[in-house]
Amino acid sequence: MRVYDIIRKKRDKEELTKEEIEFFVDKYSKGEIPDYQASALLMAIYLNKMNKKETAYLTEAMMNSGEVMDLSAIKGVKVDKHSTGGVGDKTTITLAPLMAACGVPVAKMSGRGLGHTGGTVDKLEAIPGFSIEMTPDEFIKSVNDLKVAVCGQTASVAVADKKIYALRDVTATVDNISLIASSIMSKKLASGADAIVLDVKTGDGAFMKTLDDSFALAEEMVEIGTAMNRETIGIISDMDEPLGYAVGNSLEIIEAIEALKGRGPKDFMDLCETLGAYMLVSSKLVSSYEDGLIRIREAIKSGAALEKFKEFVANQGGNPDVAEDYSLLPQAKHIVEIKSDKTGFIDKIEAEAIGVSAMVLGAGRETKEDELDLSAGIVLKKKVGDFVNEGDTLAVMHFNREEKFEDAKRRFKDAYVITEEKAEPKKLIYGVVTKDGIEKF
Ligand code: URA
């Protein structure tokens, strides 16, 4: 078999066989296919697409390109949750201890942020002492003892995805449904969970900008998970404006803790409740979505979720006192209010531009080598639909890198559209995809 022939077939819109896809994944993972040929094939896939069968073969080949974790030593139904990525998305930090407090074993492997989207691992590292390094035995023991552990993605899981993703990132081939579905599902399937709840983001700050594409991505991932005997649910949620108010690592930790105290922003609380209720149903701990909601609200009200957060942080070497004293988190030297130039209703806050603005301040990395400033970021004071007068504060910027401020501020201001008329309120959840079909809200 020759990779040249595989590229030519896809260029000519032909279907690839299981053997051809396995050959490419295996040889590229081992460094036996050069990046220029892999790039050509990825671009041919991007332009001419893969059908569902090819996508399933690609997912399986990538899953088998590394270690497939065995979590059978963890008791109970392990439920994983994965977000396709967004701005201000601190959901895992709240949901992991919240689900553990409700009785769901959470064994979570998380990633770092790149570009305008943040990553759970970076956010957790804003907690002094917190470590995501764990041996497999420590990870399993933590989940059995505490019901929660979050570790970094190990280099040995879905090896092909790491190489292919890095290449996609620099060849403009990220936002393709088959490539995203196989990338995410290969990692989820290799991570060993019994059930998977996918938070598929839609809108300006998401990879999938339209609802149709977001539903199609969710459908594809649910089909792959179902075919591999994992109960898989896809929830389509809004990422047109940032989630909650805080964007930036330590600022998002504060907002995630506030949510565990029942005081989080409405959109963020609603998303945690929705995803959490589906996770509880998938874990078979409750028999209905409504019972899931009741259990979640009780865990927050009783303080059990916050206590679980402190146990989880302490278990991974972090200082649990951050839950009560936010000044223990990294603090920026400069805290500057950004004022509105206009009077009117906020019609749009482009999530991607806000993510880039926070990244410029130091909250994210443009390249893998960039060093983060864990204290940097933006706290919005207004959201879409709010009324502002000229001179009102739109947001507060936290930063240390003074030379970056003007650029970040310009990008931030360009992200706002302020109009005379109030826009129709937007939905947070657009629908749910299960093996039984699509339900649109
Ligand atoms: N997240 C992933 O893990 N892979 C993608 O391709 C896109 C988002």
Side-chain angles (χ1 to χ4, degrees):
M1 207 175 283
R2 291 191 317 157
V3 69
Y4 177 93
D5 299 319
I6 301 175
I7 299 169
R8 185 197 46 73
K9 257 182 108 174
K10 205 22 101 188
R11 181 200 67 189
D12 295 344
K13 302 190 171 69
E14 289 175 41
E15 182 178 320
L16 301 180
T17 64
K18 188 170 194 278
E19 292 70 33
E20 285 164 338
I21 291 170
E22 283 173 355
F23 174 86
F24 165 70
V25 170
D26 179 51
K27 297 279 179 220
Y28 184 61
S29 314
K30 292 181 180 151
E32 292 169 20
I33 292 174
D35 281 352
Y36 52 82
Q37 283 187 308
S39 305
L41 180 59
L42 288 171
M43 188 54 83
I45 293 172
Y46 185 92
L47 295 173
N48 295 333
K49 310 207 167 24
M50 276 182 147
N51 62 26
K52 291 192 170 158
K53 212 158 72 180
E54 292 171 293
T55 308
Y57 294 148
L58 180 61
T59 309
E60 214 175 326
M62 293 210 295
M63 174 185 92
N64 290 325
S65 68
E67 194 184 336
V68 177
M69 307 251 302
D70 178 7
L71 298 184
S72 55
I74 297 174
K75 297 175 241 45
V77 180
K78 280 83 61 187
V79 186
D80 201 350
K81 167 250 151 204
H82 185 88
S83 152
T84 58
V87 179
D89 186 2
K90 67 284 292 175
T91 315
T92 295
I93 318 237
T94 301
L95 264 185
L98 175 56
M99 287 296 97
C102 292
V104 182
V106 181
K108 182 107 186 74
M109 237 187 256
S110 289
R112 295 192 183 275
L114 188 65
H116 74 278
T117 65
T120 300
V121 163
D122 295 327
K123 292 172 203 190
L124 284 170
E125 284 179 349
I127 300 171
F130 194 98
S131 169
I132 48 105
E133 306 289 338
M134 296 177 115
T135 64
D137 284 350
E138 285 168 343
F139 185 67
I140 287 172
K141 184 171 180 337
S142 297
V143 184
N144 272 332
D145 293 351
L146 294 182
K147 290 224 168 330
V148 56
V150 177
C151 68
Q153 236 143 49
T154 69
S156 54
V157 167
V159 173
D161 177 63
K162 274 186 201 73
K163 285 196 75 176
I164 294 174
Y165 192 84
L167 195 60
R168 287 167 57 212
D169 208 30
V170 292
T171 54
T173 50
V174 170
D175 51 336
N176 168 276
I177 289 175
S178 295
L179 294 175
I180 295 180
S182 56
S183 165
I184 290 176
M185 291 307 287
S186 63
K187 286 181 290 226
K188 293 293 104 184
L189 294 167
S191 305
D194 305 307
I196 302 162
V197 173
L198 299 160
D199 179 12
V200 181
K201 302 289 191 193
T202 190
D204 184 82
F207 287 118
M208 294 290 116
K209 310 278 184 212
T210 68
L211 264 183
D212 282 352
D213 280 351
S214 306
F215 273 103
L217 174 61
E219 258 190 291
E220 191 104 19
M221 293 196 286
V222 168
E223 271 183 39
I224 293 169
T226 306
M228 299 292 282
N229 294 319
R230 308 297 209 286
E231 183 171 335
T232 309
I233 300 178
I235 289 132
I236 316 297
S237 78
D238 183 68
M239 189 31 79
D240 226 24
E241 66 174 323
L243 182 62
Y245 291 99
V247 182
N249 301 291
S250 72
L251 300 170
E252 291 189 47
I253 291 285
I254 296 172
E255 195 161 86
I257 297 171
E258 283 291 297
L260 288 165
K261 294 176 181 172
R263 304 195 297 234
K266 183 169 181 337
D267 60 346
F268 180 52
M269 295 296 289
D270 287 352
L271 183 65
C272 287
E273 286 190 354
T274 305
L275 295 172
Y278 280 109
M279 287 174 81
L280 278 163
V281 172
S282 297
S283 74
K284 315 274 185 254
L285 283 174
V286 298
S287 51
S288 71
Y289 177 83
E290 287 67 30
D291 286 349
L293 286 182
I294 291 169
R295 201 181 269 216
I296 288 168
R297 288 172 188 162
E298 272 172 14
I300 292 177
K301 198 160 166 228
S302 67
L306 186 66
E307 273 317 301
K308 188 55 80 177
F309 173 81
K310 292 184 200 169
E311 281 176 39
F312 154 61
V313 167
N315 182 55
Q316 297 200 214
N319 183 352
D321 297 342
V322 292
E324 309 300 345
D325 181 358
Y326 299 147
S327 72
L328 296 170
L329 291 162
Q331 306 285 315
K333 231 171 22 205
H334 304 287
I335 298 176
V336 177
E337 292 186 354
I338 309 296
K339 310 275 189 198
S340 177
D341 301 328
K342 273 188 172 172
T343 295
F345 291 96
I346 299 179
D347 190 57
K348 197 161 176 42
I349 308 176
E350 289 167 6
E352 183 167 350
I354 300 293
V356 173
S357 172
M359 180 185 80
V360 168
L361 290 175
R365 7 178 136 63
E366 214 159 348
T367 70
K368 285 205 173 72
E369 292 70 37
D370 285 352
E371 206 179 309
L372 289 185
D373 175 353
L374 293 169
S375 69
I378 300 169
V379 180
L380 306 181
K381 295 291 171 194
K382 304 278 178 191
K383 298 266 287 185
V384 170
D386 288 346
F387 183 80
V388 281
N389 283 304
E390 188 183 336
D392 282 356
T393 303
L394 288 177
V396 178
M397 285 190 166
H398 296 238
F399 58 98
N400 293 303
R401 301 176 188 169
E402 278 171 74
E403 72 286 3
K404 302 284 189 187
F405 172 64
E406 285 303 327
D407 182 22
K409 182 172 149 189
R410 182 187 52 79
R411 289 172 190 273
F412 175 88
K413 285 201 157 178
D414 286 351
Y416 276 72
V417 178
I418 296 175
T419 54
E420 277 175 19
E421 289 201 8
K422 190 172 166 138
E424 282 286 303
K426 294 198 60 175
K427 287 181 191 162
L428 175 70
I429 310 290
Y430 288 94
V432 177
V433 179
T434 65
K435 65 176 185 323
D436 301 322
I438 297 180
E439 196 186 342
K440 291 192 180 177
F441 300 151

